């Protein structure tokens, strides 16, 4: 650690340094420039140092050292986007703040301050070296995004539980150097053994090289604890893998405009305000299981068929992009050839001018002007043909891709969603029939184990049927909502795709016309200047 040049009274109990009694220093541009340093601690000549501090742009500064500057608040570091190394040690800072934008930081020193909480570092994912030595920190937290940490110094703080610390740091697989000496947890007799046994990749603990023999002995000593941790980590890895697979599946559905299809029935039940009441019907869960089984088959078929059909969409997009590219490449090649042909004629004429009389020179230059006019006309003609070609290619794509969109919407509306409505209607009809039978059995006292709430619900026939009808209406509303969402999105994405293609084509045409005008105008200006000079 860099040693502070002030008296201390142990972790969290430092005696006040004389600077702390003075007015706190405010970070401004003058202070920043005065504190510019190098990433590597090397000696540089005074003239170079002065030049570096005065001439370097703020956004190019790589390293700054604010050590011993009596800074209370971290602020005004905007614009230092290239900063790699930041030293704020030996100040009176109480809060880590206003450095989240310094995303290129690799080295951060906040040692010998008055910091109580670790915060504000979440975005600094490139950090490899972090020092929070000699502060007032009681808990390791808010560091989980800093998975590139190689060195963490958090000694002389108020950390009490070594087991909590190593559990928190275990996922940091790049952590090689750890210093926690001087904390209350350092007094734990198993302090060193727990660290070297639980942190698999640690090389230095409290600035001392780890002894492999002690590591092995510690692992044997904490074998049961490590087994539980490994099992828990294995389960966590499996859960994370499942979550990733599920997210990939959701992304696949979203890309295919099928979001919500596989979970439609679940949404129907979750958004149904009558479900709580209808669970009092003895048959309700049974027929829900049956409809879930049928729906699962329907949704799977629709999703599988759509994902297969979407391959035609991807192929059509690829054909469209290639057709435009190929057509434009040929047109661009023809344009370049025309310009090159004109330039060759111009160069040939320029070599001949010295041997011609004035009247012959002017005549040749006038002929070159005519050729430039022909070049302009030929280039515009090529551009016009390319515009027509683009329009035809886009129109063909609009028609063919539109047919695929119509096929999808047809399969969605008259296929999947129509079947789901039929399934819901059949479910509702069956529920009404079974409810009628159950109400008759209830009235006859033939139902057993009926709860008090169920007795109240079943005791009013009108409420039962009103609840069933309201549930049915709610289900149909969810079906209609998802159908409208999917069909509308399919049309919107299609229209956006076609409109963007036309806008890009029109912008390209305007740019091409401007380029032609620029080239031919420049040629004409050069020729006019030559004629003028010849006639002078």
């Amino acid at each position: 650690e860099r040693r502070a040049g002030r008296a201390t009274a142990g972790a969290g109990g430092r005696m006040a340094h004389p600077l702390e009694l003075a007015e706190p220093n405010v970070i401004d541009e003058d202070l920043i420039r005065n504190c510019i340093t190098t990433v590597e601690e090397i000696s540089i000549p005074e003239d170079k140092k002065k030049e570096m501090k005065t001439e370097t742009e703020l956004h190019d500064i790589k390293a700054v050292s604010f050590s011993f500057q009596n800074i209370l608040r971290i602020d005004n570091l905007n614009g230092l986007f290239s900063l790699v190394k930041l030293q704020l040690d030996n100040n009176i800072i109480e809060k880590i703040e206003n450095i989240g934008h310094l995303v290129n930081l690799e080295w951060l020193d906040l040692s010998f301050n008055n910091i109580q909480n670790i915060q504000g570092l979440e975005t600094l994912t490139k950090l490899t070296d972090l020092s929070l030595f000699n502060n007032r920190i009681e808990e390791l937290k808010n560091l989980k995004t800093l998975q590139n940490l190689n060195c963490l110094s958090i000694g002389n703080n108020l950390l009490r539980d070594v087991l909590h610390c190593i559990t928190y740091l275990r996922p940091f697989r790049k952590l090689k150097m750890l210093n926690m000496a001087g904390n209350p947890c350092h007094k734990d007799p198993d302090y060193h053994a727990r660290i070297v046994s639980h942190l698999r990749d640690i090389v230095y603990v409290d600035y001392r090289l780890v002894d492999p023999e002690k590591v092995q002995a510690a692992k044997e000593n904490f074998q049961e604890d490590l087994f539980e941790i490994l099992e828990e980590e294995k389960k966590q890895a499996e859960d994370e893998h499942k979550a990733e697979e599920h997210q990939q599946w959701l992304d696949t559905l979203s890309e295919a405009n099928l979001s919500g299809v596989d979970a439609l029935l679940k949404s129907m039940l979750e958004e149904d305000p009558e479900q709580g009441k209808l669970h009092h019907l003895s048959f309700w869960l049974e027929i829900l299981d049956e409809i879930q089984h049928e729906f699962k088959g329907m949704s799977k078929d629709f999703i599988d068929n759509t994902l297969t059909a979407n391959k035609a969409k991807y192929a059509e997009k690829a054909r469209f992009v290639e057709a435009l590219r190929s057509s434009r490449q040929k047109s661009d090649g023809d344009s370049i050839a025309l310009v090159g042909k004109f330039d060759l004629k111009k160069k040939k004429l320029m070599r001949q001018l010295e041997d011609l009389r004035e009247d012959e020179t002017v005549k040749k230059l006038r002929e070159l002007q005519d050729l430039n006019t022909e070049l302009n006309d030929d280039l515009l003609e090529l551009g016009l043909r390319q515009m027509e070609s683009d329009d035809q290619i886009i129109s063909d794509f609009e028609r063919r891709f539109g047919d695929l969109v119509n096929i999808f919407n047809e399969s969605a509306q008259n296929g999947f969603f129509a079947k789901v409505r039929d399934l819901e209607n059949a479910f509702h009809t069956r529920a009404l029939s079974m409810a009628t039978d159950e109400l008759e059995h209830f009235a006859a006292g033939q139902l057993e184990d009926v709860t008090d709430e169920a007795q109240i619900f079943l005791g009013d026939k009108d409420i039962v049927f009103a609840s069933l009808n309201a549930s049915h209406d709610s289900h149909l509303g969810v079906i209609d909502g998802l159908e409208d969402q999917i069909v509308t999105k399919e049309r919107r994405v299609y229209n956006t795709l076609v409109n963007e293609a036309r806008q890009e084509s029109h912008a390209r045409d305007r740019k091409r016309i401007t380029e032609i005008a620029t080239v031919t105008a420049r040629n004409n200006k050069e020729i006019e200047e030559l004629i003028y000079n010849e006639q002078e």
Side-chain angles (χ1 to χ4, degrees):
E1 291 295 341
R2 294 176 43 121
R3 297 219 175 252
R6 55 184 177 189
T8 64
R14 290 196 308 274
M15 296 168 55
H17 184 273
L19 282 176
E20 295 182 0
L21 304 177
E23 187 72 19
N25 210 352
V26 176
I27 298 175
D28 56 19
E29 184 172 346
D30 288 341
L31 182 61
I32 292 172
R33 291 197 172 279
N34 189 54
C35 293
I36 292 176
T37 184
T38 57
V39 176
E40 301 83 11
E41 294 185 3
I42 57 175
S43 178
I44 57 176
E46 285 300 319
D47 57 335
K48 290 292 184 182
K49 187 182 297 185
K50 182 178 180 180
E51 180 182 344
M52 180 175 66
K53 292 185 176 185
T54 56
E55 301 299 326
T56 306
E57 296 289 342
L58 288 178
H59 59 78
D60 290 329
I61 296 174
K62 297 291 185 181
V64 178
S65 176
F66 294 116
S67 305
F68 298 98
Q69 293 296 324
N70 200 43
I71 294 169
L72 174 63
R73 186 166 187 265
I74 306 172
D75 203 0
N76 301 321
L77 298 178
N78 298 325
L80 303 179
F81 303 114
S82 298
L83 205 61
V84 173
K85 183 177 181 179
L86 175 60
Q87 294 172 239
L88 286 159
D89 58 281
N90 291 282
N91 286 289
I92 52 175
I93 297 166
E94 297 178 349
K95 182 180 180 181
I96 306 173
E97 59 185 336
N98 301 319
I99 59 174
H101 63 289
L102 304 177
V103 294
N104 289 306
L105 270 185
E106 297 176 9
W107 202 98
L108 176 62
D109 188 353
L110 287 160
S111 60
F112 294 97
N113 280 287
N114 300 322
I115 298 166
Q116 297 184 35
N117 294 306
I118 301 175
Q119 60 188 356
L121 303 175
E122 292 83 357
T123 58
L124 309 184
T125 56
K126 293 184 180 180
L127 272 182
T128 60
D129 193 311
L130 173 63
S131 179
L132 293 163
F133 187 83
N134 213 91
N135 279 279
R136 300 174 182 178
I137 297 167
E138 297 183 2
E139 181 185 3
L140 283 179
K141 60 181 180 179
N142 299 324
L143 294 173
K144 289 185 177 180
T145 57
L146 310 186
Q147 291 298 312
N148 285 310
L149 273 183
N150 177 267
C151 177
L152 174 63
S153 178
I154 195 163
N156 276 25
N157 277 278
L158 301 174
L159 302 176
R160 290 177 172 80
D161 188 347
V162 65
L163 188 57
H164 173 270
C165 292
I166 60 177
T167 301
Y168 186 86
L169 294 174
R170 185 171 168 84
F172 291 70
R173 298 305 302 270
K174 296 183 179 181
L175 187 63
K176 306 297 182 185
M177 293 173 278
L178 174 65
N179 172 32
M180 295 201 302
N183 284 285
C185 67
H186 188 249
K187 298 177 182 179
D188 187 322
D190 293 326
Y191 167 82
H192 187 272
R194 286 190 181 278
I195 291 177
V196 298
S197 63
H198 286 66
L199 301 186
R200 292 158 288 188
D201 305 290
I202 208 72
V203 178
Y204 290 90
V205 175
D206 301 339
Y207 308 111
R208 293 187 178 182
L209 184 66
V210 171
D211 184 344
E213 292 184 2
K214 291 184 178 180
V215 173
Q216 186 59 37
K219 286 183 177 179
E220 292 174 0
N221 188 36
F222 296 107
Q223 187 173 6
E224 291 185 6
D225 292 347
L226 289 172
F227 178 77
E228 291 180 5
I229 291 173
L230 289 172
E231 287 298 307
E232 185 178 338
E233 288 176 346
K234 180 180 177 182
K235 183 179 181 302
Q236 182 179 354
E238 291 173 351
D239 291 343
E240 289 175 355
H241 179 66
K242 289 179 181 178
E244 289 176 4
E245 286 186 332
H246 181 62
Q247 186 57 52
Q248 289 174 359
W249 174 242
L250 293 179
D251 292 342
T252 298
L253 293 181
S254 177
E255 185 180 359
N257 191 21
L258 295 171
S259 293
V261 168
D262 61 335
L264 175 56
L265 183 58
K266 181 181 178 183
S267 299
M268 290 162 59
L269 298 177
E270 289 178 347
E271 297 179 29
D272 183 354
E274 305 297 323
Q275 280 299 304
K277 299 176 186 176
L278 295 175
H279 274 71
H280 294 308
L281 297 170
S282 62
F283 60 84
W284 190 251
L285 292 180
E286 178 185 344
I287 62 173
L288 278 182
D289 286 341
E290 293 175 2
I291 191 176
Q292 285 174 346
H293 178 73
E294 292 185 57
F295 172 80
K296 186 175 181 180
M298 285 182 185
S299 62
K300 184 179 185 305
D301 289 344
F302 178 55
I303 290 172
D304 289 346
N305 291 337
T306 300
L307 292 178
T308 299
N310 276 356
K311 293 177 182 178
K313 284 185 180 178
Y314 301 141
E316 187 57 50
K317 285 182 182 178
R319 279 195 295 268
F320 167 62
V321 171
E322 175 58 24
L324 273 182
R325 187 201 65 78
S326 178
S327 175
R328 290 173 175 178
Q329 185 179 50
K330 183 179 184 307
S331 178
D332 291 345
D334 292 343
S335 298
I336 292 171
L338 286 173
V339 173
K341 184 178 179 180
F342 174 83
D343 287 342
L344 285 175
K345 291 181 178 178
K346 183 173 71 172
K347 290 178 181 178
K348 182 178 180 180
L349 175 62
M350 298 302 292
R351 289 194 297 266
Q352 297 174 351
L353 290 183
E354 294 182 0
D355 301 328
L356 297 177
R357 300 191 309 273
E358 177 186 330
D359 57 335
E360 293 175 333
T361 298
V362 171
K363 180 181 178 182
K364 289 290 185 181
L365 289 172
R366 293 297 184 193
E367 290 175 358
L368 189 60
Q369 271 188 320
D370 293 339
L371 290 175
N372 187 52
T373 301
E374 289 180 13
L375 173 64
N376 183 77
D377 294 343
D378 291 342
L379 290 174
L380 288 175
E381 177 64 25
L382 273 176
L384 179 60
R385 290 205 297 267
Q386 186 57 48
M387 289 169 59
E388 294 171 347
S389 176
D390 274 15
D391 185 65
Q392 184 61 51
I393 291 171
I394 295 172
S395 295
D396 290 344
F397 171 73
E398 181 179 20
R399 174 179 53 78
R400 290 195 298 267
F401 201 82
D403 290 342
L404 296 175
V405 168
N406 290 334
I407 291 172
F408 169 78
N409 283 343
E410 176 71 17
S411 69
Q413 292 177 293
N414 298 327
F416 174 69
F417 287 104
K419 290 178 181 178
V420 174
R421 285 192 190 88
D422 290 343
L423 181 64
E424 167 60 26
N425 290 331
F427 170 81
H428 180 58
T429 300
R430 186 181 177 198
L432 290 174
S433 175
M434 295 180 75
T436 300
D437 293 342
E438 181 148 317
L439 288 170
E440 291 177 356
H441 292 154
F442 176 75
Q446 297 173 349
L447 295 182
E448 299 179 357
D449 300 327
V450 181
T451 65
D452 292 341
E453 291 182 353
Q455 287 188 21
I456 295 172
F457 179 62
L458 296 173
D460 191 325
K461 178 180 179 180
D462 291 339
I463 289 180
V464 173
F465 286 113
S467 183
L468 285 168
N469 289 327
S471 173
H472 179 54
D473 291 341
S474 173
H475 294 176
L476 292 177
V478 174
I479 296 170
D480 293 345
L482 183 59
E483 178 185 28
D484 181 66
Q485 173 187 314
I486 286 177
V487 171
T488 300
K489 181 181 177 181
E490 189 74 7
R491 283 288 175 191
R492 183 177 67 251
V493 170
Y494 162 66
N495 290 330
T496 299
L497 189 62
V498 174
N499 289 337
E500 286 181 350
R502 293 197 182 282
Q503 289 171 7
E504 186 275 336
S505 179
H506 293 158
R508 188 177 187 277
D509 294 339
R510 290 192 296 271
K511 181 180 178 183
R512 172 59 64 87
I513 291 172
T514 301
E515 289 173 347
I516 293 171
T518 300
V519 169
T520 54
R522 183 177 65 245
N523 289 341
N524 194 61
K525 182 180 178 181
E526 292 176 0
I527 297 170
E528 286 290 350
E529 288 177 352
L530 289 171
I531 293 175
Y532 176 80
N533 293 335
E534 191 67 30
Q535 292 177 338
E536 277 295 307

